Amino acid sequence: MKFSYKFSNLLGAIYRSGNLQFTPDGNSIISPVGNRLSIYDLRNHKSRTLSLESRYNYVCIALSPDGSLLIAVNEVGDAQLISLISCSVIHRHKFQNKPQCVVFSPNGAYFAVGMDNIVLVFAAPGEITGEYSPFMLKRRFLGGFDNITWLDWSTDSRFLAVGCRDGTTKIVGMRLMSNFRTYILSGHTDAIIGSFFERNSMHVNTLSRNGQLCIWECSVGPTDIEEVTPEQLEAKKYKTKKKKIVKEEDSEDDVEDKEKENIDNVADTKPNDENEVKDVMASKTHTFFYKKLGRHYLGDEPRKTDYHAVATAAHYNSRTKILVVAFSIGAFYLYELPDVNMIHSLSISDYAISVALFNGTGDWVALASRELGQLLVWEWQSEQYIMKQQGHSSEMTCISYSADGQYIATGGEDSKVKLWNTQSGFCFVTFSEHTSGITGIQFSRNKNFLVSCSLDGTVRAFDINRYRNFRTFSSPERVQFSCVAIDHSSEFIVAGCQDIYDMYLWSVKLGRLLEVISGHEGPVCTVAFSPVAAMTTLVSGSWDKTIKVWNCLENNSEHETIDLFADVTCVAYSPSGEHVAAATLNGHITIFDVKSATQICSIEGRNDLAGGRYEADVITGKKNLEGKYFTSIEYSVDGECIIAGGNSQYICIYHAREAVLLKKFEITQNHSLDGLDEYINRRNLTEFGNLALVEKRDELEGGNVAIGLPGVQKGDMASRNIKPKIKVFSVRFMPTGQSYAVACTEGLCLFSLDKGVVFDPFHLSLEVTPKAIRDSVDNRDFSQALVMSLKLNEPHLIYMVLEKIPHEDIQLICSTLPETFAHSLLLTIARGLQTSTHLEFYLNWCCSLLATHGNKSDLLQHHGLLSLQESLSQKYESLNRICDFNKYTMRVILNAAKERRKQRDTVAENQPKSQDAGSDVNEDDGDDDDMFLIKSKSDDAVAEFDDEEESDSDE
């Protein structure tokens, strides 16, 4: 159970396709990312990705009004009913075709699905009746002549506006109405992208793709339309049938007499008032109709910038009566209806905006771009970003953890370097100084800077604290760097080239080239410095089937060559610095001793990568397996295991000494990516290629079809309808050993230890039970209780015992604690610091534990100390933000006290000096003295704040 890792979060990919959903409180937003769902908490600035996934990419999602149920539909029509309370799939449904949109009714009783030109209305589970019957079909409507593009419910959930691609909007009712009929709103010349009901009204606003906005007024209101019950319908049918029988029995003379009598009765009861006549006529005729109040063209201003600009997304907030319209040029506009006055505009990029969405109050608008993978939330009244996140627009090629595991640096083919916070899941800085794809990246040991190499021929060093590029290293001639490494002291940087087969060594402090290291006869694909502070050994791997061990500080760069049987793809040092592992093109991982250059063991991992074939493969599966190999490997923190990943959907963890496979993880089940199917359909394979990759599209359905560039494996493939190939570009263990990160086609996937599944007791005996632990605590035998809880290794029991121990007994307990339990206790305390409010209490435990056992064991050299450093860094940053906020809050309060004191002094001076006033003054002497003390203290505090600000500005 040691390797019970589970998926925890997805970084690097913010948005792929589909629509967005705000939670009912408006504080969080749900975004589909491929075949997963990410939830971004805008108030607490955190993000999380649900552990569930679909077999294909999600295309549309819908959230219930109470925020408990979520319906997510993928691109092949598989629908999942997800409970956001338990974050699990509670029902699945298969549609015949791919739905275009899914919308819940405002009362939560129904949800409508638009598929092709059909609208299906289902009863929502957990309806007022309390019955659980998911996807029970209630009504079925025919939309227009073309596909449905938009669905919107009225406020009372009785009517549905169906926008179609043929430019029409149909108003349909859920039940039979007395004075209602299905109505079609036409007049648009392009596809409908939005049809919106007004709040508590039947009025409708429709918007088409060419920016044409039509405002429709209904002749009746929602309260004027009455529903017909089944009993009334049966009674009406019975009366009609009875009248028909009477007419057949009556003779023509009797009919004429009855008609005369009816005419006389009508003449006798003829109303005198004109309004009464209208009421009588309205009761006998159908008065439901729509009237077009106006037509507006919203695409004129965007077309001043680009003639081909079209509206791509829209949303209407019926409470504030504000319409947001997004265009294909990356700009969006806010209009106030019904006057259609533009009140705000902003351009966020040069690419089309795919989704625009208001929150419940209409203060925030969420915008997403599929081409950029960008998601932002804009507060239009204050004109500031609530959230602005953008992933890599192409593949993520390399990753690196910071020393404490709090940050992850990523580099991509889009020449961007991004820093991500592992706790919040947000990117907080992006460096765009490189002009070509990033090939290598690494953090320094002190976490103050990181370096990256690129195909543009430069190696750049970035300051983490000031967010700037403070060093740029270049070679005497134009080269393409493929890998980079920093030594343990963070003083030297080495980078390997893939075109001239050399390596370059620079000094970080001096910023100049120290040496050009030559010796390889092929492209240098990987370099690694020794992780031991006392050693400056460098290991490099090349396509010339050798790895070389260098001593960089010696003259002439003495080295030793180790020959292998295939091209080297990656090398990794063990934490002790004694061994080095090399992955080769034949799918093997070979481990060597650095000092003696002797082989220790070899791992044959090619068969472990089997399991997927590409759709364009024309070779057999056995031949396809020969092209599988590992592209990235790394040792675990304790040096016992090696994690490896390559051009497959699997991640393998091997035992380093015994060369056996311990665990194999599948990073994704997304079949929208190429390479996950074990079998391919041979019927699609012809002499012209795979017909499954040919997109069938009519001439009038969107223009020309892009053709993929032959031979392109990554980057821009020149066609967006080609499936991306699943690959693993980089794998890295967290320095604390609690998780590992995988950079793959899906993005940056984080896998962490499943704390609910892992149960790893040690030194366990029959008398160690939770009841015995509680009895020992009640008897104040804290040493025995702590040892038993550590043997049982249950976190909640350990925390319970720790918090029961008095703080004055901490030093005594630590001195009597056996040495074997010191490391386990340190890890538990480090994890407890992340969530506990007893900061000083746990810090006393840490100080006492390190002072007692730090010099007796390897406690200081284990990853438990790294976990403690990570927890303290997080606490420091959170307290720093709180102190900064309180600093300015106190400044405002003290300034307000000064102003109030001045006002009271002014009022006291202006008061007439009478006996009554003097008595009042004497009565308030105590208050004046108190205010004088407050004033003096506030002046001192303000002076201290001013001194701090001056010192900060000087720094």
Side-chain angles (χ1 to χ4, degrees), residues 207 211 213 296-302 314-317 320-327 332-345 358 380:
L207 179 67
L213 174 65
H296 306 270
Y297 295 92
L298 308 181
D300 292 341
E301 294 186 2
H315 193 254
Y316 180 65
N317 189 283
T320 59
K321 296 185 180 298
I322 296 178
L323 174 70
V324 55
V325 183
F327 292 88
F332 70 94
Y333 297 83
L334 298 183
Y335 297 92
E336 189 177 11
L337 300 185
D339 297 332
V340 196
N341 298 324
M342 189 181 72
I343 58 177
H344 187 77
S345 64
F358 273 116
W380 61 273

Side-chain angles (χ1 to χ4, degrees), residues 449-708:
F449 70 96
L450 63 90
V451 295
S452 63
C453 65
S454 172
L455 296 176
D456 60 3
T458 61
V459 175
R460 298 179 181 271
F462 300 98
D463 191 346
I464 304 302
N465 298 323
R466 295 178 176 84
Y467 305 148
R468 64 187 181 92
N469 176 209
F470 69 94
R471 284 283 189 273
T472 301
F473 308 97
S474 59
S475 60
E477 51 186 329
R478 296 183 63 88
V479 296
Q480 290 183 328
F481 293 113
S482 59
C483 52
V484 69
I486 310 176
D487 71 329
H488 189 276
S489 63
S490 303
E491 294 182 359
F492 301 104
I493 296 176
V494 66
C497 306
Q498 67 178 16
D499 48 2
I500 64 171
Y501 315 155
D502 290 338
M503 294 180 292
Y504 294 88
L505 181 66
W506 293 278
S507 172
V508 177
K509 293 182 179 180
L510 301 178
R512 65 182 183 182
L513 180 66
L514 299 180
E515 188 179 357
V516 178
I517 305 174
S518 303
H520 282 291
E521 298 177 358
V524 181
C525 60
T526 175
V527 290
F529 271 107
S530 173
V532 181
M535 299 175 61
T536 58
T537 308
L538 172 70
V539 174
S540 61
S542 173
W543 290 2
D544 59 1
K545 301 181 181 180
T546 62
I547 60 174
K548 295 181 181 294
V549 183
W550 309 80
N551 194 340
C552 297
L553 298 184
E554 297 292 336
N555 294 329
N556 299 325
S557 295
E558 296 181 358
H559 66 276
E560 186 170 357
T561 303
I562 302 175
D563 295 326
L564 298 173
F565 294 101
D567 298 350
V568 180
T569 59
C570 185
V571 296
Y573 252 111
S574 64
S576 62
E578 298 176 356
H579 301 154
V580 61
T584 53
L585 205 59
N586 58 0
H588 290 192
I589 299 176
T590 310
I591 302 176
F592 297 92
D593 186 89
V594 177
K595 294 182 180 179
S596 61
T598 58
Q599 179 177 337
I600 298 177
C601 63
S602 179
I603 302 173
E604 297 182 5
R606 172 167 288 177
N607 293 329
D608 299 330
L609 293 176
R613 299 185 61 189
Y614 301 123
E615 291 186 351
D617 285 345
V618 294
I619 58 177
T620 62
K622 184 177 180 180
K623 196 69 176 177
N624 185 33
L625 185 59
E626 296 181 3
K628 302 289 186 180
Y629 57 92
F630 295 112
T631 58
S632 178
I633 60 174
E634 192 183 33
Y635 271 92
S636 61
V637 182
D638 54 6
E640 294 183 358
C641 304
I642 294 177
I643 186 171
N647 54 350
S648 175
Q649 73 269 30
Y650 294 108
I651 296 293
C652 302
I653 297 181
Y654 297 96
H655 197 280
R657 287 196 313 270
E658 300 179 3
V660 294
L661 179 66
L662 297 177
K663 195 74 175 179
K664 190 163 102 170
F665 300 93
E666 187 177 11
I667 58 176
T668 183
Q669 297 179 358
N670 188 5
H671 286 260
S672 296
L673 303 177
D674 195 6
L676 271 80
D677 296 323
E678 295 186 8
Y679 303 98
I680 58 177
N681 191 356
R682 288 288 177 180
R683 297 178 180 177
N684 295 325
L685 296 180
T686 63
E687 58 180 340
F688 304 104
N690 192 349
L691 295 180
L693 300 178
V694 179
E695 184 180 1
K696 297 180 181 179
R697 187 188 297 177
D698 296 336
E699 294 182 357
L700 301 178
E701 289 187 355
N704 298 326
V705 178
I707 300 176

